[in-house]
Amino acid sequence: MPTIIDTHCHIYYDDFKPDWDQMLARAETAGVKGMIVVGADAASSHQAVEIAANHPTIYCTVGIHPHDAQGVDEATIQTLRELAINSPKCVAIGEIGLDFYRNRSPREDQERIFSRFLQMAKELDKPVVIHDRDAHAETLAMIKEAGVTKGVMHCFSGDLAFARQCLEQGLYLSIPGTVTYPSNEQLREVVRNVPLERLLLETDCPYLSPVPHRGKRNEPAYTRITAEKVAELRGLTVEDVGRITTMNAGRLFGIPLWDESTKIAYRIRNSLYLNITNRCSNHCTFCPKFDEFTVKGHNLLLDHEPGFEEVMAAIGQPEGIDEVVFCGFGESLLRLDLVKEVAQALKQRGYPIRVNSDGQANLAHGRNILPELAGLVDSISISLNAPDAATYDRLCNTPFGAGGWQGVCDFLREAPGYIPDVTATAVTIPGIDIEACRRIAEELGVKFRVREYAEVG
């Protein structure tokens, strides 16, 4: 069962009164473990605060929607400021922003109120929940001018270029049920191409019901449908998407539903990964672990290197696993004896074994270790990452100098003699000649795979 957070809902409307308890139960059944009830004016902000105060996994925001900006005075703004300060479960300022599609409030009023609430968010050190419709450039310009770098573009409706501008500002993008609409290829392109670690899920209920409920009242349980569509677009499971977006919501809003415990064994898709060391042979300039130790919502920062019994206990008796992968955030072949011991135990259970490696194990151990992997490892992916020694040394900071790249090539050349399936990989680092890397792999007699830059796991 996934853990999903509906990060934007309006469940204070009368639409939900007749089946309030059933609505919450359906959300729980669907895996929606938390919600953020978003205020849109003074009255609904008070309602959102009250709902959050009475439900342990419901949180709230306060703000003025651009439709309601006209006539809002300073007294109302100060009332909402005090509400935000005095409500422990108020996690953001919003819904605020600009709407130049309907223009239900004059533009000057929208901009005045938006500016005041951006200032409030900065003063209170809270993220913002942004409404932006047909006002992309103006909205982002005001956010930049205010110096706001924490927030989410609610119900994102821009193209991929605008999405990247928002990410550069530090903002998250929230994906609603409209991603399921047949005509909304623009949003699906965004979901396919931006880091999943910067996406949130929402319903905006009672509006914007996903297919197959389009035209009917939306509700938090339907966040699961959006998660399933995102999973389909990214080639992940709904559990993966739920875990990652729950982590994102935790980081942005401080919602404590993400499992932050360190993982030795962790699942992505239908593979079980083993994280047995954080040590590496190289110190690659592009390695994401120098920014953080999470991969697809899993915390991989070890406080010690686990032994055989601890690894096997972490593995347990997994079901629905296609392969076991020695990977994690380190070079697993530095712990060669443990890899062999665990692989032998898992092979006896019938699991295919894969190793992800930097290909420098022979250099690190001072001998050819490939014969020791024969019969234990079914496939190995080796990071080539450069078409020549100078580029490799510059990118990977190998401790083996000019011999580092050659060591990788030698390892790749010899590996098929001991391991049935051998693949060289290269990350699409800006400036790297991927086709030259592909030619090297072909010359070495192994398969080749391109790994997207800044996409881990």
Side-chain angles (χ1 to χ4, degrees), residues 188-257:
R188 288 189 285 276
E189 182 186 23
V190 169
V191 170
R192 291 188 193 99
N193 289 283
V194 305
L196 193 55
E197 289 74 14
R198 299 292 292 280
L199 297 183
L200 301 174
L201 304 175
E202 66 164 280
T203 56
D204 198 24
C205 65
Y207 315 109
L208 303 179
S209 292
V211 175
H213 303 286
R214 193 173 181 181
K216 302 175 184 178
R217 186 197 74 178
N218 202 358
E219 62 177 76
Y222 298 165
T223 321
R224 169 70 177 257
I225 298 172
T226 301
E228 290 170 348
K229 174 56 71 171
V230 171
E232 174 191 323
L233 294 170
R234 295 303 294 261
L236 295 168
T237 66
V238 68
E239 288 79 11
D240 292 331
V241 170
R243 182 180 61 254
I244 298 163
T245 54
T246 295
M247 175 187 74
N248 299 343
R251 289 179 167 176
L252 180 60
F253 297 117
I255 297 175
L257 293 177

Side-chain angles (χ1 to χ4, degrees), residues 320-342:
I321 295 296
D322 295 335
E323 62 176 351
V324 176
V325 187
F326 288 91
C327 184
F329 247 157
E331 173 51 54
S332 58
L333 290 180
L334 292 177
R335 303 197 67 197
L336 178 61
D337 289 342
L338 179 64
V339 169
K340 292 190 295 183
E341 190 176 10
V342 173

